[in-house]
């Protein structure tokens, strides 16, 4: 009688490329690099932000990079439609944050109240952040469904 470990049993690990190789093995190299760069930008921006206000934007850029990395798609090309939507929404959030920051600095330099545009820019930035988060969640759910479908197909064959 041969005893099998759970790793030897195909039914225990039904993913199509459970060996760690192939296009569906895990997070692609480009996405891993974005997580590394974004993960380093966030704490640097948070620590340096109180000293140089513009460096807080580095933290925003880091969050965008990590969100783009997490929205990767299944298959050979990791940069999916969800990634493009995440990039566009992240760019909108970044541009609105820069413009909002500019209106705050201009009002402080002139010792004047904030203009009406600052509120609009703030809400545009919040909208970009929400869309970016939704696109990242869409990418994660797409990968989850793809892997579940592939696992079900592998279980039906074997």
């Amino acid at each position: 009688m041969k005893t099998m470990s759970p790793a030897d049993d195909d039914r225990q690990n039904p993913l199509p490329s459970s060996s760690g190789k192939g296009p569906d093995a895990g997070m692609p190299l480009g996405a891993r690099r974005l997580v590394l760069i974004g993960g380093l930008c966030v704490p640097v921006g948070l620590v340096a932000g109180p000293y140089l206000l513009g460096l807080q934007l580095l933290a925003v850029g880091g969050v965008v990079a990590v969100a783009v990395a997490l929205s990767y798609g299944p298959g050979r090309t990791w940069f999916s439609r969800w990634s493009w939507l995440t990039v566009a929404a992240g760019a909108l959030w970044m541009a609105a944050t820069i413009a909002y920051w500019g209106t705050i600095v201009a009002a402080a330099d002139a010792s004047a109240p904030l203009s009406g545009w600052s509120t609009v820019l703030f809400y545009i930035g919040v909208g970009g952040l929400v869309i970016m988060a939704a696109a990242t969640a869409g990418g994660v759910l797409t990968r989850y469904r793809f892997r579940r479908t592939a696992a079900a197909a592998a279980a039906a064959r074997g």
Side-chain angles (χ1 to χ4, degrees):
M1 180 168 138
K2 180 182 176 194
T3 11
M4 293 176 55
S5 70
D8 296 335
D9 189 6
D10 287 336
R11 291 170 295 173
Q12 295 292 329
N13 200 353
L15 291 178
S17 60
S18 60
S19 63
K21 299 175 184 169
D24 304 327
M27 184 178 270
L29 181 60
R32 280 186 267 159
R33 288 179 179 163
L34 271 178
V35 167
L36 177 69
I37 292 168
L40 291 173
C41 287
V42 170
V44 169
L46 291 176
V47 169
Y51 303 108
L52 294 170
L53 187 61
L55 285 180
Q56 288 178 346
L57 296 172
L58 192 61
V60 173
V63 170
V64 171
V66 169
V68 169
L70 293 178
S71 67
Y72 72 92
R76 293 211 175 270
T77 56
W78 70 271
F79 208 78
S80 67
R81 292 180 186 154
W82 291 111
S83 300
W84 282 109
L85 181 60
T86 305
V87 166
L92 177 69
W93 181 36
M94 182 70 111
T97 303
I98 291 170
Y100 179 69
W101 177 69
T103 59
I104 290 173
V105 169
D109 286 343
S111 295
L114 284 173
S115 68
W117 281 104
S118 57
T119 306
V120 172
L121 290 169
F122 176 79
Y123 286 121
I124 289 172
V126 168
L129 173 64
V130 168
I131 292 170
M132 186 184 71
T136 302
V140 169
L141 288 173
T142 300
R143 277 195 320 275
Y144 174 75
R145 289 183 64 208
F146 176 79
R147 288 182 179 154
R148 293 280 302 209
T149 305
R157 280 181 292 189

